């Protein structure tokens, strides 16, 4: 599976990035993948390669590029619960500094870059994200209704986008929530808002999961939930992109 390290021109500099794509010389639908708060690292590279193996060009930008190249904080090979608390304490100022305005400026640059790659076919793209990356994915989709055909977020605070933003989603949607992140009542409220806006969506709590369940380098990893996430993501992308 071909991979490459890239630099994406943005309004505020250059964002380092990683891409994976099929080795067949063909053009494929583009997918913008936002990492979780820990950022680009081996597990994200492997996830990008896994998705690319299903026929997509997958671009993973380093969203905290304003603070230096990835990784901005050295990470252990496995992020245990004790390390997670310490690392997140150091990352929170970066997350808090990543304002909506920065998110939208960067999204413009990421999508422009993605859609001009020679390996990416014409037509709409998809955006997916994990943890804080899921929120960035939603904001990107809302800001680019004619370009983003599908958006997914996993163990992500998607509700933080706000009801007005969620109502403006035109893409097909899947949200996979951790059981520790969202109560059934909160899920019902989210679904009600999406239903009222006519958003084509699925949204569910993955049973027995904790925040971070897709990440194989953390204590939160849940193999069954990870497989469920791939099943939902591939179904979403297949319906939204492969039929366009």
């Amino acid at each position: 599976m071909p991979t490459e390290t890239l630099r994406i021109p943005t309004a505020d500099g250059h964002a380092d990035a990683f891409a994976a794509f099929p080795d067949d010389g063909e053009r494929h639908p583009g997918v913008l993948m936002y990492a979780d708060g820990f950022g680009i690292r081996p597990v994200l590279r492997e996830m990008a390669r896994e998705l690319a193996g299903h026929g997509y060009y997958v671009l993973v930008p380093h969203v905290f590029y304003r603070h230096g190249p990835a990784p901005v904080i050295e990470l252990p090979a496995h992020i245990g619960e004790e390390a997670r608390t310490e690392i997140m304490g150091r990352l929170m100022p970066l997350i808090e500094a990543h304002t909506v305005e920065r998110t939208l400026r960067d999204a413009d640059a990421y999508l422009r870059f993605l859609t001009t790659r020679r390996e990416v076919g014409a037509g709409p793209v998809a955006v997916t994200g994990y943890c804080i990356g899921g929120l960035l994915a939603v904001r990107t989709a809302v800001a680019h209704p004619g370009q983003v055909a599908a958006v997914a977020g996993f163990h992500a605070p998607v509700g933080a986008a706000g009801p007005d933003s969620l109502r403006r989603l035109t893409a097909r949607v899947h949200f996979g929530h951790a059981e520790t992140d969202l109560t059934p009542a909160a899920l019902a409220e989210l679904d009600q808002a999406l239903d009222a806006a006519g958003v084509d969506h699925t949204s569910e709590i993955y049973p027995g999961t904790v925040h971070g369940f897709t990440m194989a380098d953390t204590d939160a990893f849940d193999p069954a939930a990870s497989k469920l996430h791939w099943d939902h993501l591939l179904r979403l992308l297949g319906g939204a992109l492969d039929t366009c």
Side-chain angles (χ1 to χ4, degrees):
M1 186 69 58
T3 61
E4 57 184 344
T5 300
L6 302 162
R7 281 169 55 83
I8 303 174
T10 75
D12 297 326
H14 286 81
D16 44 314
F18 170 82
F21 48 94
D23 186 17
D24 58 8
E26 301 292 328
R27 302 174 76 192
H28 295 276
V31 178
L32 177 62
M33 177 185 283
Y34 285 112
D36 62 355
F38 296 131
I40 297 177
R41 58 195 192 282
V43 71
L44 261 296
R45 295 174 187 274
E46 182 56 38
M47 291 170 76
R49 285 190 288 264
E50 170 72 19
L51 184 53
H54 292 275
Y56 301 99
Y57 181 101
V58 185
L59 178 66
V60 188
H62 170 46
V63 300
F64 301 134
Y65 67 88
R66 294 174 180 85
H67 305 275
V72 289
I73 293 175
E74 290 298 325
L75 299 171
H78 183 84
I79 304 170
E81 199 55 41
E82 184 175 340
R84 179 190 187 92
T85 300
E86 187 272 332
I87 292 167
M88 286 307 299
R90 297 167 63 192
L91 284 172
M92 280 309 299
L94 281 62
I95 294 172
E96 291 168 353
H98 200 71
T99 61
V100 175
E101 292 74 22
R102 285 185 173 184
T103 297
L104 298 183
R105 286 203 304 273
D106 288 348
D108 291 345
Y110 299 156
L111 291 177
R112 184 166 54 248
F113 186 86
L114 174 63
T115 55
T116 56
R117 304 304 292 168
R118 67 178 182 275
E119 301 89 354
V120 175
V125 301
V127 188
T128 185
Y130 303 89
C131 182
I132 187 65
L135 175 58
L136 304 185
V138 169
R139 287 175 170 159
T140 298
V142 170
H144 296 269
Q147 193 170 18
V148 176
V151 60
F154 300 94
H155 46 85
V158 294
D164 289 342
S165 288
L166 292 172
R167 281 194 289 268
R168 287 160 47 208
L169 279 168
T170 59
R172 297 188 191 182
V173 174
H174 176 72
F175 295 143
H177 310 283
E179 195 171 86
T180 57
D181 285 348
L182 201 71
T183 65
L187 175 63
E189 184 177 343
L190 174 63
D191 284 343
Q192 184 177 20
L194 294 171
D195 286 337
V199 177
D200 183 355
H201 77 284
T202 57
S203 179
E204 64 185 78
I205 296 171
Y206 289 17
T209 55
V210 298
H211 183 79
F213 60 79
T214 61
M215 298 297 155
D217 62 349
T218 72
D219 285 352
F221 182 61
D222 183 316
S226 177
K227 181 182 183 304
L228 184 60
H229 127 269
W230 283 120
D231 291 345
H232 278 298
L233 180 58
L234 292 171
R235 188 179 305 120
L236 175 73
L237 300 187
L241 298 183
D242 296 351
T243 59
C244 291

